[in-house]
Amino acid sequence: MPWRRRRNRVSALEGGREEEAPPEAAPVPSALLTSPQQTEAAAERILLRGIFEIGRDSCDVVLSERALRWRPIQPERPAGDSQYDLLCKEEFIELKDIFSVKLKRRWSVKQQRSGTLLGITLFICLKKEQNKLKNSTLDLINLSEDHCDIWFRQFKKILAGFPNRPKSLKILLNPESHKKEATQVYYEKVEPLLKLAGIKTDVTVMEYEGHALSLLKECELQGFDGVVCVGGDGSASEVAHALLLRAQKNAGMETDRILIPVRAQLPLGLIPAGSTNVLAHSLHGVPHVITATLHIIMGHVQLVDVCTFSTAGKLLRFGFSAMFGFGGRTLALAEKYRWMSPNQRRDFAVVKALAKLKAEDCEISFLPFNSSDDVQERRAQGSPKSDCNDQWQMIQGQFLNVSIMAIPCLCSVAPRGLAPNTRLNNGSMALIIARNTSRPEFIKHLKRYASVKNQFNFPFVETYTVEEVKVHPRNNTGVYNPEEEEDETASENCFPWNVDGDLMEVASEVHIRLHPRLISLYGGSMEEINDSKVTRETI
């Protein structure tokens, strides 16, 4: 039986202060709280036991070390009554799914201070379909001040015992993301939940490109448990790059030439507020603001692989994915039309890049992924991957597009991902190469990303699982054609790269090296979170 929320004027309070629950909160469906594993309850140590009204039933409520369980109190009936057994079925919630507790009071005009106590409200994180999370409430109604105070203090003590959950966050907000909706997204959806969870925040509005980089280079982060970026892929990538650069500086490393980078000290949270949200979508499995916020509140932490991009031995940046050729030229075109809306700019750039489609003459060297135990142990010890025993491979020719991706790169136009066989932290990258072909065939390949069919099932598409890649473009020396329009994507003989949605222009060879589990991100599917078992100590 689903629980019903009372319609009278009540609120959840702590310390005599009114704190309304966010409008998204809904009562917890009882169907989500039942489990066949109820025999485990007997083995748990009972902390408290009492009577509360839940929904419209008076219930025997038991608080143990891992769960809150309750069973409706019913009049005695003959043994074997199936209807009675059904009504008395035990329900429970795990304590790890609770993220806040408040005293529930009813206010009236005559009451100036504390109001009338009604009981306790628990705020709970529940998993929905398609990797989504939602916040719900559970009301434990009891009018006794002393009784509720004991239970309230016990719940507060339990919540304080989750070490991964942040208590203070640095928020970086990009107000220009997508349709300038990031500010509204944060203050209407994210901040109320963070306040409800008792998390302190310090918000900085990013005013220009590179602001996050300069800010995180110098600002004091000692009092924060994590950093949160509210914006699109470009903003998120910039913040991740800045956190990793800061970690290298704090470790006394030369940031221009990094062979074995150290891990970022603070986890990063990503609130999707951009046009594509590839990073957040790949991390959470869905570009959903409430889901991303609840992952942060609950302290779900994932270690994620990161790439370094360098040229001539000099570090260019950290990143998660890159495209060269068609992907880079499309972004370079889109950057010239920023006065358009994001979707219009993207579609216009794709059409124009297809109309002027051309292949790049390249030499691509790569180090295939080696999953043997000795190599994995060598990586865990921080040894360089490219040594004399590794076997590099090389291919060359005319390529329409080259993609190097350390994450699946899920997005609305590629629901299965641009690199569907890649994981967040499997220690490898996907190298996807589209050789020169006709425009209609290349368009068929692009359309496959939006379908359930295999986008790589074309004779001109090659895929490799790699650890390192070197892309060496060779300047075209063909006959000059005066009727050909000037290449809008060229910039002083530099080749455009699309790195996490940011334009990177490089004139020479680019070396991409994967670094396993280099940064901690708030989020990930529940299965991956349970498998990784990351704690603050490992960060």
Side-chain angles (χ1 to χ4, degrees), residues 257-316:
R257 299 179 183 274
I258 299 175
L259 183 61
I260 308 173
V262 299
R263 186 178 296 164
Q265 286 94 350
L266 292 179
L268 171 62
L270 306 178
I271 303 297
S275 55
T276 54
N277 302 306
V278 168
L279 292 177
H281 198 156
S282 299
L283 179 63
H284 308 304
V286 60
H288 188 239
V289 171
I290 299 299
T291 296
T293 306
L294 287 173
H295 276 307
I296 295 170
I297 290 172
M298 304 303 289
H300 298 156
V301 179
Q302 274 261 80
L303 286 170
V304 178
D305 298 343
V306 181
C307 306
T308 50
F309 297 83
S310 57
T311 183
K314 183 178 181 180
L315 177 71
L316 297 172

Side-chain angles (χ1 to χ4, degrees), residues 322-505:
M323 287 186 285
F324 174 78
F326 175 78
R329 290 180 177 276
T330 300
L331 179 61
L333 282 168
E335 288 297 307
K336 295 180 180 292
Y337 298 92
R338 294 199 67 87
W339 51 270
M340 293 184 178
S341 69
N343 291 337
Q344 287 179 331
R345 184 169 69 242
R346 181 193 63 200
D347 295 343
F348 175 79
V350 168
V351 171
K352 194 161 186 177
L354 285 172
K356 302 173 68 174
L357 185 66
K358 75 171 189 176
E360 297 287 358
D361 185 16
C362 290
E363 179 180 288
I364 302 175
S365 303
F366 60 91
L367 182 64
F369 175 62
N370 190 336
S371 59
S372 62
D373 293 338
D374 58 332
V375 174
Q376 295 296 333
E377 184 178 356
R378 176 160 54 91
R379 286 186 213 157
Q381 294 174 352
S383 300
K385 287 181 281 186
S386 52
D387 58 24
C388 58
N389 295 322
D390 293 321
Q391 300 297 317
W392 283 79
Q393 298 182 22
M394 190 265 287
I395 55 178
Q396 55 186 339
Q398 301 283 323
F399 304 103
L400 290 176
N401 191 71
V402 179
S403 298
I404 304 106
M405 298 177 174
I407 60 175
C409 293
L410 303 174
C411 59
S412 58
V413 296
R416 293 175 59 245
L418 299 176
N421 296 325
T422 305
R423 297 295 178 264
L424 296 173
N425 51 20
N426 63 350
S428 67
M429 300 182 291
L431 171 62
I432 304 165
I433 297 171
R435 290 184 178 268
N436 195 16
T437 188
S438 65
R439 183 180 291 108
E441 285 298 303
F442 186 66
I443 292 175
K444 286 181 183 179
H445 164 61
L446 296 180
K447 286 183 176 180
R448 283 277 184 93
Y449 282 98
S451 71
V452 296
K453 296 181 179 180
N454 184 359
Q455 62 262 41
F456 308 131
N457 190 22
F458 291 91
F460 58 89
V461 177
E462 302 171 16
T463 62
Y464 304 90
T465 303
V466 301
E467 299 176 12
E468 295 186 46
V469 180
K470 296 178 181 178
V471 179
H472 179 67
R474 299 182 293 196
N475 291 329
N476 293 325
T477 56
V479 178
Y480 171 70
N481 183 357
E483 295 180 359
E484 185 177 3
E485 292 185 34
E486 182 182 355
D487 187 355
E488 294 184 54
T489 65
S491 176
E492 297 179 358
N493 296 323
C494 288
F495 294 90
W497 284 75
N498 181 340
V499 180
D500 298 332
D502 273 348
L503 182 62
M504 181 179 76
E505 294 179 319

Side-chain angles (χ1 to χ4, degrees), residues 14 34 50 56 68 74 87 137 142 148 182 185-186 208 219 241 252 279 290 333 349 352 366 395 413 426 458 491:
E14 179 183 8
T34 57
R56 294 184 179 273
L68 178 74
Q74 300 286 346
L87 289 173
T137 59
N142 189 304
C148 288
V185 164
Y186 176 74
Y208 53 88
C219 76
H241 173 63
L279 292 177
I290 299 299
L333 282 168
K352 194 161 186 177
F366 60 91
I395 55 178
V413 296
N426 63 350
F458 291 91
S491 176

Side-chain angles (χ1 to χ4, degrees), residues 126-143:
L126 292 180
K127 186 178 180 182
K128 294 176 64 179
E129 71 285 350
Q130 298 177 344
N131 294 314
K132 286 186 178 180
L133 302 179
K134 72 172 183 178
N135 57 300
S136 301
T137 59
L138 173 63
D139 290 333
L140 307 178
I141 304 301
N142 189 304
L143 304 184

Side-chain angles (χ1 to χ4, degrees), residues 180-201:
K180 300 184 178 182
E181 297 173 345
T183 302
Q184 180 181 0
V185 164
Y186 176 74
Y187 286 106
E188 292 185 5
K189 295 183 177 181
V190 180
E191 187 184 55
L193 280 174
L194 296 180
K195 283 186 175 180
L196 184 63
I199 298 174
K200 298 178 181 179
T201 58

